[in-house]
């Protein structure tokens, strides 16, 4: 039987005997050694495959906590603003808990795979003519005046659940890595990992803590530029956020860990996205690849210590955004005649 994170990390989470042991089997995701990346960066690089959570993203760790606590507190409904992954996760756990779910999304900016999940799980989808930041502001207003529980990362239980990934990394290694690299959108995840590593250190589960390296998309790099971006744009839609909700916590994580928050271009993200698939056999969504793009960028300026241990957090599954994957083909597929001659010709590029 699979044990979810609430039961597994009960002693480290803000739960009570009244908290439902809600679970879809989240957590315990693989930590895979990346041979190609390790050689390229002269380091030991591991990939934390958070896309193998139940709804295909890291959001499940935090959402199970947020929804369980909402259920414990007597809520009938949850609500979130989302660029996709949050909506899928909220809808799934709400369904499991028997709660209604309302999702506010920026129209035209949510990948099909993510939207399909929320629809099938039974959430009510409300598209707005605006971006994620505007959607979140509307959700905050509703949360203040109506009986719905907000389950975005402004909900503190979200970060509590997400911090469990740090505990898992320590369990796998027996210690902390030197660096943890991850994409930064709404900035909750970098904040949650840092919370987890700090707590694990306090509980004497590790003797040191890693540097937190966060990477934003250049067109949505509010923290890097130290200003809100009113019209964020990026190929990596999951981190297309111009006013991160956990901004201050992310800066605190950077400062306390001696880490960085940098930006990467869409071209750098796209290149890393292809490298992961072609060289490591890992299909992640574009936003996840921002972590790898960032590592390449830091390597170019000599910032990666030789033989250091690095964990890159791949936050979502590639099937979340199939349209981005298909952009790799410059021309549509064309069928050939079903003959041996045509097949040999097309595979080996020789006449038979």
């Amino acid at each position: 039987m699979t044990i979810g994170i609430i039961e597994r990390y009960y002693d480290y989470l803000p739960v009570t005997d009244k908290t439902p042991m809600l679970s879809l089997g989240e957590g315990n995701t693989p930590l895979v050694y990346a041979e190609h990346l390790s050689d390229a960066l002269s380091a030991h690089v591991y990939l934390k495959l958070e896309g193998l959570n139940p709804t295909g993203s890291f959001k499940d760790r935090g959402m199970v906590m947020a929804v369980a606590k909402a259920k414990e507190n007597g809520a009938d409904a949850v609500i979130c603003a989302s660029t996709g992954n949050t909506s899928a996760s909220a809808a799934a756990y709400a369904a499991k808990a028997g709660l209604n779910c309302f999702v506010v999304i920026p129209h035209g900016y949510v990948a099909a795979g993510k939207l399909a999940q929320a629809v099938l799980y039974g959430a009510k989808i409300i598209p707005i003519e605006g971006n994620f930041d505007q959607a979140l502001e509307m959700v905050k207003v509703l949360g203040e005046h109506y009986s719905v529980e907000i389950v975005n990362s402004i909900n503190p239980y979200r970060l509590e659940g997400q911090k469990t990934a740090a505990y898992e990394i320590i369990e796998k290694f027996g210690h902390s890595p030197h660096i943890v690299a991850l994409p930064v959108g709404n900035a909750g995840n970098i904040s949650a990992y840092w919370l987890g590593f700090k707590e694990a250190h306090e509980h004497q589960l590790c003797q040191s803590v890693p540097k937190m390296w966060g990477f934003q998309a250049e067109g949505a790099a509010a923290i890097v530029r130290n200003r809100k971006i009113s019209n964020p744009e990026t190929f990596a839609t999951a981190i297309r956020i111009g006013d991160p909700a956990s901004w201050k916590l992310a800066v605190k994580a950077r400062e306390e860990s001696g880490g960085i928050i940098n930006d990467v271009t869409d071209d750098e993200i796209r290149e890393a996205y292809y490298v992961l698939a072609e060289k490591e056999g890992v299909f992640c969504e574009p936003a996840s690849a921002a972590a790898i793009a960032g590592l390449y960028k830091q390597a170019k300026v000599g910032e990666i210590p030789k033989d250091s241990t690095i964990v890159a957090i791949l936050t979502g599954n590639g099937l979340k955004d199939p349209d981005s994957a298909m952009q790799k083909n410059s021309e549509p597929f064309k069928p050939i005649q079903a003959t041996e001659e045509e097949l040999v010709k097309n595979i080996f590029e020789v006449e038979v």
Side-chain angles (χ1 to χ4, degrees), residues 185-270:
N186 217 23
N189 215 24
I190 189 172
S191 308
Y193 271 83
W194 180 237
L195 174 64
F197 282 114
K198 283 199 303 180
E199 286 188 1
H201 186 255
E202 290 167 3
H203 291 303
Q204 299 184 334
L205 300 177
C206 57
Q207 301 304 309
S208 62
V209 292
K211 297 180 185 297
M212 303 303 298
W213 283 13
F215 299 99
Q216 296 187 292
E218 184 180 55
I223 298 175
V224 176
R225 285 160 180 67
N226 197 30
R227 60 177 174 83
K228 297 178 183 179
I229 296 175
S230 57
N231 293 299
E233 290 293 343
T234 174
F235 159 70
T237 57
I239 53 174
R240 183 181 173 268
I241 297 170
D243 185 13
S246 299
W247 187 325
K248 291 181 180 179
L249 289 175
V251 170
K252 184 179 179 182
R254 177 189 67 190
E255 298 304 316
E256 289 182 353
S257 73
I260 59 171
I261 297 178
N262 208 339
D263 62 0
V264 286
T265 67
D266 275 9
D267 285 344
E268 289 169 332
I269 294 172
R270 192 175 279 106

XYZ file of all heavy atoms in Angstrom, residues 185-270:
663
model
N 8.515 30.363 -10.488
C 7.359 31.042 -11.072
C 6.693 31.877 -9.996
O 7.017 33.038 -9.796
N 5.782 31.259 -9.245
C 5.146 31.956 -8.129
C 6.025 31.935 -6.880
O 5.689 32.524 -5.867
C 3.784 31.329 -7.828
C 2.756 32.358 -7.438
O 2.883 33.538 -7.765
N 1.734 31.942 -6.738
N 7.145 31.220 -6.971
C 8.235 31.216 -5.977
C 7.925 30.431 -4.705
O 8.701 30.469 -3.749
C 8.670 32.647 -5.628
N 6.838 29.683 -4.689
C 6.527 28.876 -3.518
C 7.450 27.690 -3.346
O 7.791 27.316 -2.218
N 7.872 27.094 -4.454
C 8.645 25.854 -4.348
C 10.049 26.075 -3.790
O 10.508 25.321 -2.935
C 8.712 25.166 -5.718
C 8.690 23.650 -5.604
O 8.195 23.095 -4.629
N 9.202 22.968 -6.606
N 10.727 27.106 -4.269
C 12.070 27.381 -3.733
C 11.974 27.705 -2.250
O 12.828 27.303 -1.448
C 12.769 28.518 -4.523
C 14.240 28.642 -4.097
C 12.036 29.852 -4.379
C 15.047 29.607 -4.963
N 10.890 28.383 -1.862
C 10.665 28.714 -0.461
C 10.401 27.452 0.356
O 10.905 27.304 1.482
C 9.477 29.674 -0.328
O 9.621 30.793 -1.175
N 9.621 26.539 -0.201
C 9.270 25.308 0.500
C 10.475 24.390 0.669
O 10.670 23.786 1.745
C 8.160 24.584 -0.251
N 11.279 24.239 -0.375
C 12.476 23.395 -0.266
C 13.409 23.932 0.818
O 13.963 23.165 1.610
C 13.208 23.323 -1.607
C 12.745 22.209 -2.504
C 11.613 22.357 -3.302
C 13.406 20.991 -2.560
C 11.166 21.339 -4.131
C 12.985 19.954 -3.377
C 11.860 20.143 -4.170
O 11.414 19.118 -4.980
N 13.580 25.253 0.817
C 14.470 25.824 1.814
C 13.925 25.581 3.224
O 14.679 25.237 4.146
C 14.677 27.303 1.559
C 15.592 27.968 2.547
C 15.329 29.044 3.344
C 16.950 27.586 2.849
N 16.408 29.342 4.127
C 17.427 28.470 3.841
C 17.790 26.568 2.389
C 18.708 28.372 4.372
C 19.072 26.470 2.921
C 19.520 27.364 3.897
N 12.617 25.721 3.393
C 11.988 25.424 4.675
C 12.276 23.989 5.091
O 12.631 23.713 6.244
C 10.478 25.654 4.574
C 9.628 25.251 5.789
C 10.001 26.088 7.008
C 8.135 25.404 5.460
N 12.132 23.055 4.143
C 12.379 21.648 4.429
C 13.810 21.359 4.826
O 14.065 20.632 5.803
N 14.764 21.939 4.090
C 16.171 21.688 4.410
C 16.546 22.298 5.763
O 17.285 21.690 6.548
C 17.079 22.228 3.308
C 17.144 21.347 2.094
C 16.641 21.782 0.878
C 17.686 20.075 2.170
C 16.686 20.957 -0.251
C 17.747 19.243 1.055
C 17.240 19.693 -0.158
N 16.043 23.479 6.040
C 16.334 24.108 7.331
C 15.784 23.270 8.488
O 16.469 23.058 9.489
C 15.729 25.514 7.388
C 16.489 26.571 6.635
C 16.113 27.972 7.103
C 14.643 28.246 6.983
N 14.294 29.629 7.436
N 14.542 22.810 8.334
C 13.940 22.007 9.392
C 14.674 20.680 9.571
O 14.903 20.226 10.699
C 12.470 21.743 9.066
C 11.568 22.943 9.256
C 10.097 22.580 9.106
O 9.795 21.391 8.877
O 9.261 23.485 9.204
N 15.032 20.061 8.459
C 15.754 18.782 8.539
C 17.086 18.960 9.276
O 17.507 18.095 10.056
C 15.989 18.230 7.136
N 17.725 20.095 9.022
C 18.982 20.395 9.701
C 18.741 20.581 11.197
O 19.512 20.079 12.043
C 19.610 21.651 9.096
C 20.978 21.967 9.626
N 21.205 22.996 10.519
C 22.187 21.372 9.401
C 22.498 23.037 10.805
N 23.111 22.066 10.154
N 17.647 21.274 11.532
C 17.310 21.484 12.944
C 17.001 20.160 13.641
O 17.303 19.991 14.822
C 16.108 22.424 13.048
C 16.422 23.857 12.653
C 15.173 24.705 12.464
O 14.060 24.178 12.696
O 15.300 25.880 12.069
N 16.392 19.228 12.895
C 16.075 17.911 13.445
C 17.275 16.966 13.394
O 17.143 15.779 13.703
C 14.905 17.285 12.682
C 13.587 17.967 12.901
N 13.032 18.142 14.144
C 12.721 18.532 12.019
C 11.870 18.775 14.028
N 11.660 19.028 12.754
N 18.430 17.492 12.953
C 19.687 16.738 12.871
C 19.596 15.556 11.904
O 20.236 14.528 12.092
C 20.122 16.262 14.263
C 20.376 17.415 15.223
C 20.893 16.968 16.580
O 20.651 15.854 17.015
N 21.623 17.843 17.263
N 18.799 15.742 10.857
C 18.712 14.730 9.804
C 19.816 14.931 8.761
O 20.059 14.052 7.935
C 17.342 14.792 9.125
C 16.133 14.560 10.035
C 14.838 14.718 9.256
C 16.207 13.172 10.676
N 20.460 16.100 8.789
C 21.596 16.381 7.896
C 22.524 17.356 8.616
O 22.108 18.072 9.531
C 21.111 16.960 6.564
S 20.121 18.471 6.712
N 23.772 17.360 8.178
C 24.783 18.192 8.843
C 24.994 19.541 8.157
O 25.676 20.409 8.697
C 26.124 17.431 8.894
C 26.051 16.112 9.636
C 25.527 16.262 11.056
O 26.017 17.091 11.819
N 24.512 15.465 11.405
N 24.417 19.705 6.971
C 24.574 20.959 6.243
C 23.327 21.190 5.405
O 22.459 20.315 5.303
C 25.817 20.909 5.339
O 25.667 19.878 4.358
N 23.232 22.368 4.800
C 22.104 22.697 3.925
C 22.652 23.135 2.565
O 23.777 23.614 2.467
C 21.224 23.815 4.522
C 20.491 23.321 5.760
C 22.051 25.051 4.847
N 21.861 22.950 1.504
C 22.350 23.311 0.164
C 22.163 24.789 -0.151
O 21.408 25.497 0.518
C 21.455 22.457 -0.742
C 20.170 22.374 0.007
C 20.547 22.307 1.470
N 22.835 25.222 -1.189
C 22.558 26.533 -1.777
C 21.339 26.388 -2.682
O 21.253 25.433 -3.449
C 23.759 27.028 -2.592
C 25.029 27.266 -1.774
C 26.155 27.745 -2.669
C 27.470 27.881 -1.889
N 27.391 28.897 -0.829
N 20.418 27.320 -2.591
C 19.218 27.277 -3.418
C 19.441 28.139 -4.658
O 19.682 29.350 -4.559
C 18.010 27.791 -2.634
C 17.736 27.040 -1.331
S 17.503 25.267 -1.545
C 16.062 25.243 -2.586
N 19.380 27.506 -5.823
C 19.557 28.203 -7.095
C 18.219 28.204 -7.841
O 17.752 27.157 -8.296
C 20.601 27.501 -7.950
C 22.017 27.767 -7.522
C 22.445 28.337 -6.364
C 23.201 27.463 -8.273
N 23.812 28.404 -6.334
C 24.305 27.889 -7.490
C 23.432 26.880 -9.509
C 25.621 27.737 -7.922
C 24.743 26.720 -9.944
C 25.831 27.154 -9.158
N 17.597 29.361 -7.937
C 16.323 29.479 -8.634
C 16.483 30.200 -9.960
O 17.310 31.112 -10.083
N 15.675 29.797 -10.935
C 15.782 30.393 -12.276
C 14.406 30.776 -12.806
O 13.497 29.945 -12.885
C 16.487 29.430 -13.230
C 17.884 29.110 -12.785
C 18.159 27.933 -12.102
C 18.922 30.010 -12.994
C 19.442 27.649 -11.646
C 20.209 29.737 -12.552
C 20.473 28.555 -11.876
N 14.289 32.046 -13.149
C 13.071 32.572 -13.749
C 13.246 32.694 -15.253
O 14.367 32.833 -15.761
C 12.746 33.951 -13.180
C 12.431 33.954 -11.698
C 11.965 35.319 -11.231
O 12.715 36.275 -11.194
N 10.686 35.396 -10.864
N 12.132 32.666 -15.989
C 12.179 32.952 -17.417
C 12.444 34.447 -17.600
O 11.917 35.281 -16.858
C 10.866 32.573 -18.078
N 13.275 34.776 -18.564
C 13.680 36.171 -18.781
C 12.480 37.112 -18.927
O 12.495 38.238 -18.414
C 14.550 36.257 -20.041
C 15.119 37.630 -20.320
C 15.959 37.643 -21.581
O 15.441 37.248 -22.649
O 17.142 38.041 -21.514
N 11.425 36.659 -19.599
C 10.258 37.500 -19.812
C 9.322 37.587 -18.626
O 8.284 38.264 -18.692
N 9.690 36.900 -17.538
C 8.864 36.926 -16.332
C 9.753 36.972 -15.089
O 9.413 36.421 -14.051
C 7.955 35.701 -16.288
N 10.883 37.656 -15.195
C 11.903 37.628 -14.133
C 11.727 38.789 -13.162
O 12.612 39.646 -13.004
C 13.294 37.628 -14.747
N 10.619 38.806 -12.481
C 10.313 39.909 -11.564
C 11.312 39.986 -10.409
O 11.765 41.079 -10.042
C 8.899 39.750 -11.027
N 11.655 38.848 -9.836
C 12.575 38.851 -8.688
C 13.963 39.292 -9.124
O 14.636 40.074 -8.438
C 12.615 37.464 -8.018
C 11.226 37.094 -7.481
C 13.635 37.442 -6.886
C 11.127 35.692 -6.904
N 14.412 38.807 -10.271
C 15.733 39.178 -10.784
C 15.811 40.684 -11.021
O 16.808 41.334 -10.679
C 16.046 38.413 -12.091
C 17.379 38.872 -12.674
C 16.058 36.916 -11.837
N 14.745 41.253 -11.574
C 14.729 42.687 -11.887
C 14.248 43.545 -10.724
O 14.271 44.773 -10.793
C 13.847 42.939 -13.119
C 14.531 42.505 -14.402
C 13.563 42.286 -15.541
N 14.257 41.872 -16.756
C 14.884 40.706 -16.913
N 14.918 39.842 -15.918
N 15.494 40.408 -18.043
N 13.776 42.875 -9.667
C 13.288 43.559 -8.477
C 12.147 44.527 -8.781
O 12.064 45.629 -8.230
C 14.420 44.298 -7.758
C 14.042 44.654 -6.320
O 13.265 43.946 -5.682
N 14.561 45.760 -5.827
N 11.264 44.101 -9.666
C 10.060 44.890 -9.973
C 9.005 43.968 -10.578
O 9.315 42.972 -11.218
C 10.363 46.024 -10.956
C 10.897 45.574 -12.290
C 11.107 46.740 -13.242
N 11.759 46.332 -14.475
C 11.117 45.792 -15.519
N 9.802 45.587 -15.454
N 11.767 45.453 -16.623
N 7.759 44.329 -10.347
C 6.671 43.566 -10.929
C 6.682 43.718 -12.447
O 7.037 44.772 -12.970
C 5.326 44.044 -10.373
C 5.159 43.834 -8.882
C 3.821 44.383 -8.415
C 3.675 44.253 -6.903
N 2.384 44.818 -6.423
N 6.284 42.656 -13.136
C 6.193 42.696 -14.599
C 4.720 42.554 -14.963
O 4.104 41.518 -14.701
C 7.042 41.575 -15.225
C 8.516 41.818 -14.881
C 6.835 41.519 -16.737
C 9.444 40.726 -15.341
N 4.161 43.616 -15.541
C 2.713 43.651 -15.770
C 2.256 42.710 -16.876
O 1.132 42.196 -16.841
C 2.266 45.084 -16.081
O 2.974 45.593 -17.192
N 3.119 42.462 -17.860
C 2.752 41.568 -18.962
C 3.843 40.524 -19.178
O 4.579 40.571 -20.172
C 2.528 42.372 -20.248
C 1.318 43.273 -20.158
O 0.203 42.819 -19.985
N 1.554 44.588 -20.247
N 3.959 39.574 -18.271
C 5.011 38.554 -18.402
C 4.771 37.667 -19.623
O 3.633 37.350 -19.961
C 4.884 37.747 -17.106
C 3.460 37.944 -16.676
C 3.102 39.331 -17.092
N 5.860 37.271 -20.266
C 5.773 36.406 -21.443
C 6.892 35.382 -21.406
O 8.043 35.712 -21.118
C 5.875 37.220 -22.740
C 4.674 38.097 -23.035
C 3.410 37.297 -23.343
O 3.528 36.085 -23.642
O 2.317 37.875 -23.266
N 6.561 34.138 -21.698
C 7.573 33.093 -21.832
C 6.958 31.846 -22.442
O 5.771 31.562 -22.261
C 8.220 32.726 -20.470
O 9.107 31.607 -20.653
C 7.189 32.363 -19.424
N 7.797 31.112 -23.135
C 7.461 29.800 -23.682
C 7.071 28.838 -22.571
O 6.210 27.969 -22.735
C 8.702 29.315 -24.447
C 8.823 27.840 -24.695
C 7.986 27.188 -25.578
C 9.830 27.107 -24.070
C 8.128 25.828 -25.833
C 9.985 25.752 -24.324
C 9.126 25.122 -25.202
N 7.677 29.013 -21.395
C 7.434 28.134 -20.241
C 6.234 28.669 -19.454
O 6.384 29.382 -18.466
C 8.684 28.080 -19.361
N 5.033 28.326 -19.893
C 3.811 28.947 -19.366
C 3.622 28.745 -17.869
O 3.001 29.588 -17.206
C 2.568 28.422 -20.106
O 2.524 26.988 -19.987
C 2.596 28.814 -21.567
N 4.133 27.671 -17.300
C 3.935 27.410 -15.873
C 4.623 28.443 -14.989
O 4.257 28.607 -13.820
C 4.437 26.010 -15.522
N 5.633 29.150 -15.521
C 6.320 30.186 -14.731
C 6.107 31.567 -15.352
O 6.892 32.489 -15.139
C 7.822 29.872 -14.554
C 8.522 29.620 -15.890
C 7.993 28.671 -13.628
C 10.040 29.446 -15.749
N 5.013 31.705 -16.062
C 4.662 33.004 -16.670
C 3.921 33.856 -15.631
O 2.722 34.061 -15.694
C 3.787 32.760 -17.908
C 3.416 34.009 -18.682
C 2.520 33.640 -19.865
N 2.011 34.830 -20.538
C 0.852 35.420 -20.231
N 0.090 34.925 -19.266
N 0.460 36.492 -20.884
N 4.677 34.332 -14.654
C 4.114 35.060 -13.515
C 4.955 36.310 -13.260
O 6.180 36.214 -13.107
C 4.065 34.158 -12.270
C 3.121 32.969 -12.529
C 3.627 34.943 -11.032
C 3.169 31.892 -11.471
N 4.307 37.452 -13.216
C 5.025 38.719 -13.084
C 5.070 39.293 -11.688
O 5.778 40.281 -11.436
N 4.335 38.696 -10.756
C 4.307 39.185 -9.371
C 4.186 37.986 -8.434
O 3.124 37.694 -7.900
C 3.124 40.145 -9.177
C 3.112 40.781 -7.794
O 4.139 40.684 -7.084
O 2.081 41.377 -7.420
N 5.287 37.259 -8.219
C 5.245 36.011 -7.445
C 4.676 36.195 -6.039
O 5.081 37.109 -5.304
C 6.713 35.587 -7.391
C 7.349 36.244 -8.573
C 6.642 37.543 -8.722
N 3.771 35.306 -5.662
C 3.128 35.396 -4.351
C 4.122 35.169 -3.208
O 3.981 35.749 -2.135
C 1.989 34.380 -4.263
N 5.125 34.321 -3.441
C 6.110 34.010 -2.392
C 7.438 34.732 -2.635
O 8.507 34.218 -2.279
C 6.325 32.495 -2.305
O 5.124 31.838 -1.966
N 7.359 35.906 -3.206
C 8.539 36.701 -3.565
C 9.479 36.874 -2.370
O 10.669 36.559 -2.439
C 8.060 38.058 -4.074
C 9.085 38.980 -4.641
C 10.384 39.147 -4.248
C 8.888 39.893 -5.749
N 10.998 40.107 -5.008
C 10.111 40.579 -5.926
C 7.805 40.192 -6.559
C 10.258 41.565 -6.917
C 7.963 41.168 -7.535
C 9.173 41.835 -7.732
N 8.971 37.384 -1.269
C 9.815 37.667 -0.109
C 10.433 36.398 0.460
O 11.599 36.384 0.873
C 9.003 38.396 0.959
C 8.618 39.823 0.570
C 7.839 40.500 1.682
C 7.460 41.921 1.285
N 6.680 42.606 2.361
N 9.645 35.319 0.485
C 10.175 34.055 0.989
C 11.283 33.515 0.093
O 12.261 32.933 0.577
C 9.047 33.028 1.106
C 8.025 33.255 2.216
C 6.904 32.226 2.114
C 8.686 33.185 3.594
N 11.131 33.702 -1.221
C 12.154 33.234 -2.159
C 13.457 34.013 -1.989
O 14.555 33.428 -2.013
C 11.645 33.363 -3.588
N 13.351 35.309 -1.806
C 14.542 36.134 -1.580
C 15.217 35.715 -0.272
O 16.448 35.623 -0.186
C 14.162 37.629 -1.552
C 15.343 38.481 -1.069
C 13.710 38.084 -2.935
N 14.392 35.415 0.726
C 14.937 34.945 2.005
C 15.672 33.622 1.827
O 16.768 33.425 2.381
C 13.795 34.782 3.008
C 14.245 34.389 4.407
C 13.051 34.274 5.345
C 13.491 33.854 6.741
N 12.347 33.690 7.671
N 15.097 32.720 1.034
C 15.755 31.438 0.761
C 17.088 31.645 0.058
O 18.093 31.001 0.383
C 14.840 30.555 -0.087
N 17.098 32.554 -0.904
C 18.342 32.864 -1.616
C 19.396 33.410 -0.664
O 20.547 32.955 -0.659
C 18.061 33.885 -2.722
C 19.308 34.322 -3.482
C 18.986 35.490 -4.416
N 18.631 36.689 -3.651
C 18.117 37.790 -4.198
N 17.875 37.837 -5.502
N 17.832 38.845 -3.452
N 19.003 34.375 0.159
C 19.970 35.038 1.031
C 20.472 34.094 2.127
O 21.678 34.023 2.383
C 19.327 36.279 1.658
C 18.904 37.345 0.651
C 20.043 37.811 -0.230
O 21.145 38.039 0.317
O 19.850 37.930 -1.455
N 19.567 33.375 2.762
C 19.964 32.510 3.872
C 20.813 31.338 3.412
O 21.682 30.863 4.158
C 18.722 31.997 4.605
C 18.002 33.065 5.409
C 16.801 32.532 6.174
O 16.428 31.350 5.980
O 16.231 33.291 6.974
N 20.572 30.854 2.187
C 21.318 29.684 1.706
C 22.605 30.062 0.980
O 23.400 29.183 0.637
C 20.436 28.857 0.766
O 20.266 29.505 -0.483
N 22.789 31.363 0.740
C 23.942 31.791 -0.060
C 23.779 31.428 -1.518
O 24.760 31.210 -2.234
N 22.528 31.371 -1.972
C 22.230 30.941 -3.337
C 22.040 32.087 -4.307
O 22.549 33.197 -4.092
N 21.312 31.820 -5.383
C 21.079 32.818 -6.425
C 19.650 32.683 -6.950
O 19.031 31.627 -6.831
C 22.050 32.658 -7.621
C 21.898 31.261 -8.238
C 23.488 32.938 -7.223
C 22.652 31.081 -9.539
N 19.157 33.753 -7.521
C 17.983 33.693 -8.386
C 18.372 34.445 -9.646
O 18.666 35.641 -9.597
C 16.728 34.303 -7.729
C 16.338 33.500 -6.488
C 15.564 34.316 -8.735
C 15.127 34.039 -5.736
N 18.413 33.732 -10.755
C 18.875 34.292 -12.024
C 17.788 34.085 -13.069
O 16.770 33.443 -12.807
C 20.186 33.626 -12.444
C 21.059 34.524 -13.295
O 20.571 35.478 -13.898
N 22.342 34.218 -13.360
N 18.022 34.595 -14.265
C 17.046 34.387 -15.339
C 17.671 33.641 -16.506
O 18.897 33.608 -16.666
C 16.415 35.700 -15.811
C 17.440 36.670 -16.385
O 18.634 36.347 -16.433
O 17.039 37.776 -16.794
N 16.831 33.009 -17.306
C 17.259 32.294 -18.504
C 16.302 32.653 -19.640
O 15.124 32.927 -19.405
C 17.278 30.760 -18.284
C 18.458 30.353 -17.428
C 15.984 30.266 -17.649
N 16.817 32.652 -20.852
C 15.991 33.015 -21.995
C 15.124 31.840 -22.433
O 15.388 30.684 -22.081
C 16.865 33.441 -23.181
O 17.599 32.293 -23.649
C 17.839 34.554 -22.795
N 14.119 32.143 -23.235
C 13.289 31.070 -23.784
C 14.107 30.123 -24.641
O 13.874 28.906 -24.640
C 12.135 31.661 -24.605
C 10.937 32.015 -23.727
O 11.066 31.965 -22.493
O 9.868 32.345 -24.282
N 15.080 30.661 -25.378
C 15.935 29.799 -26.202
C 16.758 28.851 -25.330
O 16.945 27.674 -25.677
C 16.878 30.640 -27.071
C 16.161 31.279 -28.255
O 15.031 30.845 -28.578
O 16.738 32.203 -28.852
N 17.248 29.351 -24.207
C 18.019 28.507 -23.293
C 17.126 27.436 -22.654
O 17.548 26.284 -22.485
C 18.666 29.375 -22.210
C 19.804 30.234 -22.738
C 20.287 31.279 -21.749
O 19.473 31.724 -20.903
O 21.474 31.665 -21.824
N 15.902 27.815 -22.317
C 14.958 26.839 -21.755
C 14.639 25.764 -22.781
O 14.645 24.568 -22.476
C 13.662 27.541 -21.299
C 13.937 28.474 -20.121
C 12.597 26.500 -20.915
C 12.758 29.344 -19.727
N 14.373 26.196 -24.009
C 14.014 25.239 -25.065
C 15.168 24.268 -25.338
O 14.958 23.066 -25.495
C 13.633 26.008 -26.335
C 12.980 25.143 -27.408
C 12.512 25.984 -28.574
N 11.227 26.631 -28.329
C 11.068 27.924 -28.065
N 12.123 28.732 -27.990
N 9.861 28.425 -27.876
